């Protein structure tokens, strides 16, 4: 039997850009491979195409622009005010280009996921595709991980590998990695939700 919409675990997705990972997550909820509902999409960038993707899918959106706040603490307080009414099972960072403070992360410990375009722990930070090519690597990939206070360093939930071809440009490699991101992110989210459900059943048994 299909779970009624209102009983589905809720996801709040934070974005800054194109939102192709957001789209993969929306598509997975629509196809039923991800049993969850995207309750809200929040962007720190008003021009993010991800906002349009959310609207097209009938998902409420909110812009919380870090430039409008005097401090990171004030920005994060505004983010929390948008997130908390949804009481999300998970907060999903999908191309969200702001670093979250230890205080923010602690509030949602074990409930924030990020996807990073490298085989972590290798190549944390930015420009990972070019750096992997320059580093003479044979392989590159993507990692879904839990967010902790340290950047790109939380426990790994899922990884996907792709080969680096001899004449690859960073953009060709990024395209190949993104395809894998779109596959593993919804899978990783579904896994995490299953784990949460098993833990809560265990508690109530
Ligand atoms: C992806 O490469 C993701 O790994 C990184 O930012 C990019 C976001 O792409 N964190 P999109 O906005 O989901 O298309």
């Amino acid at each position: 039997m299909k779970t009624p919409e209102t009983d589905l675990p809720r996801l709040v997705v934070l974005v800054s850009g194109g939102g192709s990972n957001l789209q993969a997550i929306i598509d997975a909820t629509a196809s039923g491979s991800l049993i969850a509902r995207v309750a809200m999409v929040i962007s720190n960038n008003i021009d993010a195409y991800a906002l349009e993707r959310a609207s097209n899918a009938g998902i409420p959106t909110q812009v919380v622009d870090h430039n409008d706040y005097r401090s990171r603490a004030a920005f994060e307080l505004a983010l929390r005010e948008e997130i908390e009414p949804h009481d999300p099972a998970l907060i999903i960072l999908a191309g969200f280009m702001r670093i979250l403070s230890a205080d923010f992360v602690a509030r949602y410990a074990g409930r924030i996921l990020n996807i990073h375009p490298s085989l972590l722990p290798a190549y944390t930070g930015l420009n990972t595709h070019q750096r992997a090519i320059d580093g003479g690597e044979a392989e590159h990939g993507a990692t879904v991980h839990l967010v902790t206070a340290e950047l790109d360093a939380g426990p790994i939930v899922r990884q996907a590998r792709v080969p680096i071809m001899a004449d690859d440009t960073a953009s060709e490699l990024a395209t190949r990695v993104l395809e894998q991101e779109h596959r593993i992110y919804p899978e990783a989210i579904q896994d995490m939700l299953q784990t949460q459900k098993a833990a809560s059943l265990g508690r109530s048994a």
Side-chain angles (χ1 to χ4, degrees):
M1 202 176 69
K2 208 166 168 249
T3 316
E5 273 283 297
T6 45
D7 293 349
L8 291 171
R10 288 175 297 284
L11 309 175
V12 169
V13 184
L14 307 192
V15 296
S16 300
S20 67
N21 278 289
L22 167 68
Q23 190 66 58
I25 292 164
I26 293 171
D27 293 348
T29 61
S31 75
S33 59
L34 172 56
I35 304 165
R37 177 165 70 89
V38 180
M40 170 81 144
V41 171
I42 303 173
S43 176
N44 66 310
N45 166 19
I46 194 164
D47 295 321
Y49 182 62
L51 290 168
E52 219 166 302
R53 294 182 188 270
S55 299
N56 290 340
I59 297 164
T61 62
Q62 187 65 48
V63 174
V64 181
D65 185 342
H66 54 282
N67 295 306
D68 294 342
Y69 300 89
R70 274 183 308 142
S71 64
R72 186 168 11 190
F75 168 62
E76 291 186 349
L77 182 61
L79 271 184
R80 277 173 38 212
E81 279 169 1
E82 294 299 335
I83 292 170
E84 262 152 40
H86 299 285
D87 187 21
L90 291 173
I91 297 171
I92 306 297
L93 310 186
F96 182 64
M97 300 304 285
R98 305 300 301 171
I99 291 173
L100 296 167
S101 71
D103 179 55
F104 184 96
V105 170
R107 270 170 204 282
Y108 303 103
R111 290 199 291 143
I112 312 178
L113 281 180
N114 183 41
I115 191 157
H116 180 77
S118 81
L119 295 171
L120 288 175
Y123 301 106
T124 61
L126 298 174
N127 300 323
T128 58
H129 308 299
Q130 190 58 56
R131 286 162 55 216
I133 293 171
D134 294 346
E137 306 289 350
E139 280 188 323
H140 190 44
T143 304
V144 179
H145 66 96
L146 277 163
V147 174
T148 56
E150 199 187 332
L151 183 70
D152 299 330
I156 290 172
V157 177
R158 228 179 181 82
Q159 277 189 323
R161 294 171 178 275
V162 303
I164 299 183
M165 310 299 187
D167 53 354
D168 258 346
T169 63
S171 119
E172 285 163 345
L173 181 55
T175 304
R176 197 172 311 124
V177 170
L178 258 185
E179 257 174 50
Q180 295 305 311
E181 294 186 30
H182 300 160
R183 179 177 64 78
I184 63 171
Y185 213 1
E187 286 177 0
I189 295 167
Q190 182 59 39
D191 271 6
M192 286 293 298
L193 293 173
Q194 276 304 121
T195 307
Q196 281 183 352
K197 195 171 164 189
S200 81
L201 287 176
R203 270 199 304 275
S204 59

